[in-house]
Structures are given as structure tokens and as C-alpha cells.
Amino acid sequence: MKPYEIVKNIFIVGGPEITDSRDGCVYLINLEELVLIDSGAGWSVDKIIHNINSLKLDPQKLKTILLTHCHIDHIGGAPEIRKRYGSRLCIHKLDAPPLENGDPILTAANWYQTTFYPTEVDMKLNSPEEMMEIGGQKIICLHTPGHTPGSISIYLDKEGKRILFGQDLHGPLLEEFGSNLDDWDRSTKKLLTLNADILCEGHFGIYKTKKEVKDYIMSYRRQYGVE
Ligand SMILES: [Zn+2]
Ligand SMILES: [Zn+2]
């Protein structure tokens, strides 16, 4: 599958069917700078950059990388992309220590039989809801713990649509990740109230109507027995 534009100036540039089977989905927002949401598992940085170029966008403008949580399939490419383009790495403060320590369990690097080297974080998100404004576009980072303590979901309103980036909402919820079902219950409830039109998900792709988004979240709420 090739990278493509989901709505105007929002693209999918990586993921299991686009760059590498080990990658979580990688999304790109084209504002006056480029904002990357997650970065793949680390083996596909060249492919992600190739895809950005193929969309006629300039990777030199990759100034911000928002990391939805601390797992390798989402963070693996971030250090190399920062090295090349001077991007700032942003993650919630509760998910920063696994990156800073290169923790093989909490980053899930051991699952992927790789190493994530200790990596400094440039910006730690630290409130239930944090708003960034880039090129006049408001981007809201919601703290949605559950899968990991510092998981975030990101949303923005554009072209009359609310677009939600909710990676790994499906879990898994595992003790070794510090997952928490009560947190996850509250977080997914909060996400339902957003009434998003489009869900850009971490491994299964993109859900394109309010109903599909709601059904997707509800199916996991039933699966985890909170509905
Ligand atoms: Zn994942
Ligand atoms: Zn994960």
C-alpha cells in the first residue's frame, strides 16, 4: 500500500502495510511545519522519509514528533529522525522514563528482538489535556492512560471534521506494560465523548465515519468487559 492523504494535509506515511510489518501506523500533518505522529519501529526510517518526499513534502520541515506512547513499534524511528532533521520528541511524562532508560520491557523492545538505546525526550506532556498551536492549527493531546500509564490520544478539527489519532486503543492490557483497566475504561469513555468523525488507529488503519469510530471503541470496551 502507498502513503496517501486521509483528509487535506493529513497523511498516512507508514504502517504495517506501508513501510514495515513491525511498524505502528505513522501519520503526518502538514502545517507550516510537519508534525509526525509516531515513528515506526526503527527499521523503516528511510522508507518513511521516502514516502514524505513522494507526497511532495519536505522532511527538513519535520520539527515535531508526537509519540503516542513508549512502545518500540511507535518510537523506534524517532531518535534517527531527530538526528537528521532536528525534530523535537514529545511524549507524556509518565511514558518518558522507558525511553530515557532504554528499558527493554517497558518499550517492548525485547518483544521485537531489538534494542532501544537511552534517548532524551525534548518535551514532556504533563496535563490531562494539552493544546499545541502550529501554523494556526490547534492540536490537542489528551492523556488517555490504560495501555500504558502515559498513553496519549491526539485530536484536531479540520475541514469540518474531527480527526482522532488513537494508537493502541485496542491494548493489549498487560501487567508488564503497566496497563490499567480502570484507567483504560475512563480513557475510552472520554474518547467516545469526542464524537470523532475519523479515527487514525495504530495497527488496523483508519475508520472513516462517526459510527465506525464508535463501533470500534465499543467493540473493545465489550471485549474488556467494561460495557
Ligand atoms: Zn503498537
Ligand atoms: Zn503499544
Side-chain angles (χ1 to χ4, degrees), residues 29 31 66 130-132 137-141 154-156:
I29 310 172
L31 300 166
L66 296 176
E130 211 145 322
M131 201 262 284
M132 298 181 174
Q137 173 69 55
K138 291 185 173 71
I139 299 175
I140 293 111
C141 299
I154 299 155
Y155 74 92
L156 51 85

Side-chain angles (χ1 to χ4, degrees), residues 69 71 74 147 168:
H69 65 293
H71 290 158
H74 304 265
H147 175 55
D168 290 15

